[in-house]
Amino acid sequence: MTSPPGGLPLEAQWQGRLWRGSSLSTASDPALPSGFAVLDAELPGGGWPTRAAVELLTPQPGVLEWRLLAPGLRAWWAGQALPPAQPGRPVRRSRAAAPSAAMRTLLLVNPPHTPHLPGLQALGLPPSALIWVAAGTPAQALWAAEQAIKARVAVLAWLPEARPEQIRRLQVSALSSDAPIFLMRPERAGQQSSAASLRLVVKPGDGWDLQVHLLKRRGPAHESWLALPAVPGAVEPLLTAAKRKPLPAPAPDPAPAPASPPTERPHALARPVQHA
């Protein structure tokens, strides 16, 4: 390729925006580690993408999302914190280094259950940074999610009735935000097209595992399922080694013994006559 006079080569201009279909995308935008090494190895960029919307498709809303997303969100919040001050040395907070208040906020749009703050705190998510939006209609939920994405706020939105063109609007808005954005949809939505750059199907696995299938990613198709150990942090100390493993399959019931054929009983009139 040739470069324009006085400009960068075209290869450098498109670095991180193009990828071969047989390999994972190496986006130039930083990725957020998910907390699962097996999953990060299959995600373009090695983690949850930024400047993009991620769709999570689940069979039942509000059950598996937190166990999958909590490690990554916890690491994201830790990355927003400023380094501790050293004794005798003041902390200089430059405008470029200090995180904005919006970047430390997580907006929950239309969750199916009332957020349990002690449980979220046990997962490492500070309750003071959570904002709960109870939308009255699907249109209000979409509006709240889009406005939050444009404000560069981290978003977890449950949008069971969103249409493909509405997901496209959210994906376009996400291109200008470097905060994590997750859209929770029902499993049946996997049959629809979507502009989201990453789509995952999440199901309960054996024991405390999660079964994750990458339905869409920037790279080759992913055919298999990933088993992710996702024991909640507050529950893990209470589990023994035996309880961490899936329960063994119950033994099949023994086959009933074949019934013996009924013996023929002679008729009363067929008995021999007894002489006195």
Side-chain angles (χ1 to χ4, degrees):
M1 293 184 180
T2 59
S3 59
L8 295 175
L10 293 181
E11 296 91 335
Q13 296 180 17
W14 290 96
Q15 183 70 28
R17 300 184 182 182
L18 298 178
W19 71 94
R20 294 181 181 273
S22 59
S23 60
L24 291 179
S25 169
T26 56
S28 57
D29 297 323
L32 176 66
S34 67
F36 303 96
V38 176
L39 179 59
D40 288 343
E42 300 293 340
L43 293 178
W48 298 122
T50 57
R51 305 188 187 280
V54 179
E55 269 192 278
L56 298 182
L57 312 180
T58 61
Q60 184 178 356
V63 177
L64 307 176
E65 298 94 321
W66 291 112
R67 290 169 55 194
L68 178 64
L69 300 179
L73 293 175
R74 183 168 58 244
W76 178 72
W77 258 302
Q80 304 297 318
L82 292 175
Q86 299 181 2
R89 182 177 298 178
V91 178
R92 297 179 179 180
R93 301 188 177 185
S94 63
R95 180 172 298 180
S100 62
M103 291 297 292
R104 294 192 299 267
T105 300
L106 175 61
L107 191 70
L108 309 180
V109 180
N110 203 28
H113 309 292
T114 301
H116 185 251
L117 294 184
L120 296 179
Q121 189 172 11
L123 293 176
L125 308 180
S128 59
L130 302 176
I131 299 179
W132 174 24
V133 175
T137 63
Q140 293 176 356
L142 284 166
W143 182 87
E146 185 175 3
Q147 299 306 312
I149 293 173
K150 291 180 178 180
R152 303 174 65 215
V153 173
V155 175
L156 266 67
W158 284 261
L159 306 172
E161 301 179 12
R163 299 188 300 272
E165 62 270 18
Q166 295 170 332
I167 298 297
R168 186 181 302 109
R169 285 178 56 91
L170 299 180
Q171 168 64 22
V172 172
S173 299
L175 296 176
S176 59
S177 174
D178 52 1
I181 300 168
F182 297 97
L183 310 178
M184 269 58 71
R185 311 279 315 284
E187 186 180 5
R188 64 177 183 274
Q191 302 176 359
Q192 303 175 355
S193 61
S194 174
S197 61
L198 179 63
R199 307 182 79 191
L200 300 92
V201 180
V202 186
K203 293 183 178 181
D206 295 333
W208 291 92
D209 288 353
L210 296 177
Q211 292 290 328
V212 175
H213 172 60
L214 276 65
L215 188 64
K216 176 186 176 182
R217 62 177 176 176
R218 291 176 174 175
H222 185 261
E223 302 295 341
S224 60
W225 288 79
L226 304 176
L228 308 180
V231 181
V235 178
E236 187 172 5
L238 306 177
L239 297 177
T240 62
K243 291 184 178 180
R244 297 172 191 270
K245 300 178 181 179
L247 296 176
D253 296 334
S260 57
T263 57
E264 183 179 359
R265 302 183 65 179
H267 195 271
L269 298 179
R271 295 177 181 176
V273 178
Q274 296 181 357
H275 300 279

